[in-house]
Amino acid sequence: MNCTTRENICAEIRGALSKGKTVVLVGVPKPSTELSWCAKDLNEIFMGIGREAQDMHARSKEYEEELDNARQEPEECMKIDQEEEAIEEDEDEDEDEEVMMYHTKISGAKLAQGAKKSNNARKFCMTALDIPCAEGSVPSLFKNVAEDCTPELFRRIRFKDEDKEKLKVAKMEHEKWSTRLKSQSNWKASIEESIIPMARNIDRDDWTDMSGHRDWTIAGSAGVVTYAHSDAHGLGTAVSVPVGRKIWVLLDVKAVNDGKGEKTPERVLTQMDSHVAFAYIPRKEDQMERMKNRVNEAGYLVLDKDSMMFMPPGKAHWVLTPQPSIAIGDHYLCFDTMHLTERAIVVNERSKRAGTNASHDQVARAIIRMAISMAVYKCGKKVLRKPFLSMARMVLHVELYTSDFVNKESEEAMGELWNARLVIQTILDHNNIEASTCAVPEKAHTFRIEHMKGLQESESGKERRLKLENWMPIDWKTLEWDDPGLQTVTVPKWLKDKLVQSW
């Protein structure tokens, strides 16, 4: 990259990510504190306690048993698999999740010792996942590229005490929002009356950080394999490998009806079905067969201490660990990758998150806060139209993309949703964009994916998934899946003063 400043580097990385490209930086500076594969460093990473780990040999044994059962009783195995993988959305059923036989706990010292003793024989094959990162261990460039890091804004502003009743109204009026939007004739006037002002320069002790537990450390011995998946909830992923080496295999999912030709709704829907079918594969199917039948091609990257990688939202990948390794990663959201985030969330929800490996339920509120932050950080600026419209759909119709958002969230969160919708609708109105551009898709009446017919799901989950069966990307007639386009929208300058008083 021909960049000289951090700001330019971040802008160029975001530009490549917005087109669905994976970015690798080589020759990166060494971290201030260097790590090594030893008991001392692993104990510090584990914070002195045992961490959940996967025993890959036990996992392999269980998988082989499932394959044997599937060959004998394929229909019964499919039923069991769907019951295990489907996400139960009914809040009344709060059963403990079954722990697989290959899950165990291990200390940093034992992991270090076991990996060193059997590095060649591979009798020991174990990985500890999703350990919270120590302060200062995540490369600062990861945070600089992310645009959903809004703690500074939301730690310093809050709703006024006298507006608490408005927050209750915002929660009660949620389901009437679509009607309210259609009834507004003069939006610029109505936003002055409807906005719930937020006051600045407040040091808040009770603020909620929507970054959540996103950064992570993974420590694993040689031979560990992470099978094909995409990261959850439309988050992009950034990774560095300060110790050892990771082979990151990027997968190009084979789409039915792909290639040149007229873009018809049915063709676009079948392309989307291919991504959903790839995500929702019962475990009885052999992983290599899964790759052969559903992937056009695969490319790989070798990551070590001299490199770092940024992967766009929704990218299917497979990770191999050829030697004892420590990886440090983070997840991010960006304004210009919102079209990729939206598509990834739709794939996740339609496949009941079967093709992901984690849960990040704070994403919906993080996107809502990003919409609000546009009024402050993007006022008077231009943003890409297609990603913005994807963000608009996810905010205006949040209940379609996130299960039970209204019932689970606080009154303050509903106030933020109210304001975010006003910000979005104001930008749409300012740029003469019809609300129908962000319309909710019509409900489908049949399963588009044949092998998902026996899916176990709640009524509310089924209703939401069926609506997403007919989901179409923004500007599907003129732009390819990953293309954000060149068209822009302008955020009005005056919007900030209406939202945040005395800024």
Side-chain angles (χ1 to χ4, degrees):
M1 291 184 178
N2 297 319
C3 304
T4 55
T5 68
R6 180 173 289 260
E7 184 178 343
N8 287 341
I9 291 174
C10 292
E12 194 158 343
I13 291 172
R14 292 189 203 108
L17 292 170
S18 73
K19 298 176 178 65
K21 296 179 180 178
T22 298
V23 177
V24 178
L25 304 182
V26 295
V28 297
K30 292 182 179 180
S32 55
T33 304
E34 289 198 53
L35 297 171
S36 62
W37 188 270
C38 65
K40 176 179 176 295
D41 285 356
L42 284 172
N43 273 336
E44 287 184 4
I45 289 170
F46 281 42
M47 300 177 191
I49 61 175
R51 294 288 179 178
E52 183 176 294
Q54 286 186 0
D55 184 333
M56 302 303 290
H57 287 307
R59 180 178 186 178
S60 177
K61 181 180 178 182
E62 182 182 34
Y63 177 67
E64 289 299 326
E65 290 175 355
E66 286 186 354
L67 282 179
D68 289 339
N69 292 336
R71 295 184 187 106
Q72 296 169 17
E73 301 287 346
E75 291 184 3
E76 187 63 24
C77 183
M78 172 78 82
K79 180 181 177 182
I80 293 171
D81 187 69
Q82 289 166 346
E83 288 175 352
E84 287 179 351
E85 291 185 340
I87 291 179
E88 182 58 61
E89 296 183 7
D90 287 334
E91 295 296 326
D92 295 336
E93 297 184 15
D94 188 21
E95 298 178 358
D96 292 335
E97 185 179 351
E98 182 182 351
V99 179
M100 297 296 182
M101 62 179 286
Y102 55 81
H103 280 238
T104 184
K105 279 197 173 183
I106 193 171
S107 68
K110 285 187 177 180
L111 180 61
Q113 184 182 26
K116 278 190 173 181
K117 280 186 176 181
S118 61
N119 193 29
N120 295 323
R122 301 282 171 88
K123 293 179 181 178
F124 179 96
C125 190
M126 195 168 288
T127 180
L129 301 170
D130 296 334
I131 305 166
C133 289
E135 187 175 352
S137 65
V138 179
S140 59
L141 190 60
F142 292 179
K143 302 294 184 186
N144 295 143
V145 169
E147 293 183 297
D148 58 324
C149 294
T150 55
E152 177 59 21
L153 175 63
F154 286 90
R155 187 180 64 80
R156 294 180 57 222
I157 66 173
R158 72 180 305 157
F159 294 108
K160 294 181 176 182
D161 291 337
E162 58 265 33
D163 289 328
K164 295 295 183 183
E165 289 301 316
K166 290 184 180 179
L167 298 182
K168 294 180 181 179
V169 172
K171 187 164 182 126
M172 291 189 305
E173 294 285 312
H174 164 75
E175 294 194 4
K176 299 179 182 178
W177 180 265
S178 296
T179 307
R180 185 179 293 274
L181 283 179
K182 292 174 184 177
S183 67
Q184 300 287 2
S185 55
N186 184 346
W187 195 263
K188 191 173 289 189
S190 67
I191 190 170
E192 295 180 18
E193 299 167 3
S194 303
I195 201 81
I196 306 177
M198 305 180 83
R200 73 174 181 94
N201 289 340
I202 295 171
D203 241 354
R204 299 185 56 187
D205 294 326
D206 63 340
W207 68 286
T208 304
D209 184 358
M210 295 326 300
S211 296
H213 168 34
R214 301 187 322 173
D215 53 36
W216 42 263
T217 301
I218 293 176
S221 63
V224 169
V225 177
T226 304
Y227 292 117
H229 68 283
S230 61
D231 293 336
H233 294 274
L235 291 166
T237 302
V239 181
S240 65
V241 184
V243 176
R245 186 168 291 168
K246 291 278 186 182
I247 300 176
W248 215 271
V249 184
L250 302 173
L251 305 171
D252 179 25
V253 177
K254 184 186 293 184
V256 180
N257 287 338
D258 208 355
K260 296 180 180 180
E262 183 185 359
K263 286 189 176 180
T264 62
E266 185 56 34
R267 180 185 165 201
V268 176
L269 286 171
T270 343
Q271 287 176 332
M272 188 64 177
D273 291 347
S274 301
H275 289 268
V276 176
F278 179 82
Y280 192 84
I281 301 297
R283 288 181 299 178
K284 73 181 185 67
E285 181 167 328
D286 183 88
Q287 289 290 322
M288 294 310 296
E289 286 298 314
R290 177 186 185 187
M291 298 299 101
K292 185 176 72 175
N293 296 329
R294 293 184 171 86
V295 172
N296 279 325
E297 60 183 7
Y300 70 90
L301 305 167
V302 179
L303 302 177
D304 56 26
K305 63 180 180 180
D306 294 322
S307 58
M308 63 175 60
M309 180 195 71
F310 294 84
M311 190 171 63
K315 185 65 178 177
H317 57 286
W318 198 2
V319 185
L320 312 174
T321 307
Q323 61 191 67
S325 302
I326 299 171
I328 293 175
D330 198 7
H331 293 301
Y332 66 84
L333 293 169
C334 292
F335 288 105
D336 288 349
T337 59
M338 279 289 129
H339 58 301
L340 304 178
T341 290
E342 185 192 17
R343 185 181 70 178
I345 290 175
V346 173
V347 170
N348 286 178
E349 295 303 319
R350 281 189 56 190
S351 61
K352 310 310 292 178
R353 305 185 191 177
T356 63
N357 63 344
S359 183
H360 303 280
D361 292 329
Q362 78 279 5
V363 168
R365 196 168 172 189
I367 293 173
I368 286 167
R369 286 190 170 184
M370 285 178 72
I372 293 175
S373 74
M374 291 183 75
V376 179
Y377 299 134
K378 299 286 186 181
C379 60
K381 297 180 180 178
K382 295 181 182 295
V383 295
L384 287 173
R385 178 182 182 276
K386 179 178 174 179
F388 167 74
L389 291 179
S390 285
M391 170 186 271
R393 287 207 295 202
M394 289 187 285
V395 171
L396 294 177
H397 307 291
V398 64
E399 68 282 356
L400 185 63
Y401 297 87
T402 306
S403 62
D404 212 24
F405 180 85
V406 178
N407 292 328
K408 288 191 293 191
E409 292 294 345
S410 64
E411 288 178 353
E412 182 169 302
M414 295 307 298
E416 290 174 3
L417 175 61
W418 181 275
N419 279 353
R421 284 170 161 170
L422 285 166
V423 168
I424 291 291
Q425 187 61 37
T426 301
I427 297 172
L428 290 173
D429 186 67
H430 185 75
N431 290 272
N432 298 313
I433 299 174
E434 294 292 332
S436 58
T437 311
C438 304
V440 178
E442 291 296 321
K443 178 181 176 181
H445 297 286
T446 59
F447 277 93
R448 294 192 58 87
I449 309 298
E450 186 67 21
H451 69 253
M452 290 179 65
K453 283 188 174 179
L455 184 67
Q456 305 291 315
E457 58 187 336
S458 65
E459 282 303 314
S460 61
K462 181 179 179 180
E463 178 74 16
R464 192 159 50 87
R465 181 188 51 72
L466 285 175
K467 286 183 178 179
L468 291 175
E469 293 273 295
N470 281 351
W471 177 90
M472 300 279 279
I474 295 290
D475 294 338
W476 61 269
K477 291 182 181 179
T478 56
L479 296 174
E480 295 300 326
W481 288 97
D482 295 340
D483 189 353
L486 298 175
Q487 287 185 296
T488 60
V489 297
T490 304
V491 181
K493 290 182 178 180
W494 51 265
L495 187 53
K496 179 173 69 174
D497 295 331
K498 303 300 179 187
L499 178 68
V500 184
Q501 294 188 351
S502 305
W503 184 263

